[in-house]
Amino acid sequence: MSTPSNPPIRVLFCIGISQSFFDLPVDRIPEVFTAFKTAFGNLEQRFGITVLGTLDDDRVQVGQSSAGWPFTSYIMADVPDLDTVVKVCDQLRTTPVGDGLLWRYARIDTRIGRPVFPEEGASA
């Protein structure tokens, strides 16, 4: 857990959709959406993180995400520690979808930093 001497890590989780998602038959797409809800739902309760905001470009970005930016979805959060960052990323490795895992249909990258303007008294 984070403490005043060990503040949370500011993390941007960047999620990109792969071509294999777009190659699915239309009737299989709902199971992938269900898996995403399972993987990334209730992050606060499951991992003790504080979600600061989310963005989803799915309405204005069509087709496979590029290998990097821009991604399809973003979750910005304050996370207690690096192990928790890994646990959130592991959701793609461990969440089942049909006969495979969620990482077949998406990738996740993270950017780890700190607030631009730390709270008064906090070290920069």
Side-chain angles (χ1 to χ4, degrees):
M1 276 333 272
S2 62
T3 64
S5 62
N6 186 21
I9 303 168
R10 178 71 44 97
V11 180
L12 181 63
F13 296 96
C14 308
I15 302 168
I17 303 302
S18 69
Q19 184 61 44
S20 58
F21 172 80
F22 297 101
D23 292 340
L24 282 172
V26 173
D27 63 332
R28 297 249 347 257
I29 291 173
E31 72 182 291
V32 177
F33 284 134
T34 298
F36 270 109
K37 289 178 185 177
T38 298
F40 296 104
N42 296 320
L43 293 174
E44 296 91 344
Q45 292 80 21
R46 293 170 49 217
F47 298 104
I49 73 175
T50 301
V51 174
L52 303 172
T54 62
L55 293 171
D56 194 341
D57 294 342
D58 71 325
R59 297 197 57 204
V60 295
Q61 181 186 43
V62 180
Q64 177 181 351
S65 296
S66 62
W69 186 91
F71 291 89
T72 307
S73 298
Y74 303 86
I75 301 168
M76 181 171 283
D78 282 341
V79 181
D81 52 44
L82 187 58
D83 287 339
T84 305
V85 174
V86 172
K87 288 176 186 175
V88 173
C89 290
D90 279 346
Q91 295 307 293
L92 288 181
R93 292 184 185 102
T94 60
T95 303
V97 181
D99 62 351
L101 298 169
L102 192 53
W103 69 352
R104 179 181 290 173
Y105 304 106
R107 61 175 281 154
I108 190 166
D109 287 358
T110 61
R111 301 296 176 265
I112 297 176
R114 60 179 175 82
V116 175
F117 302 105
E119 293 182 28
E120 193 171 321
S123 59

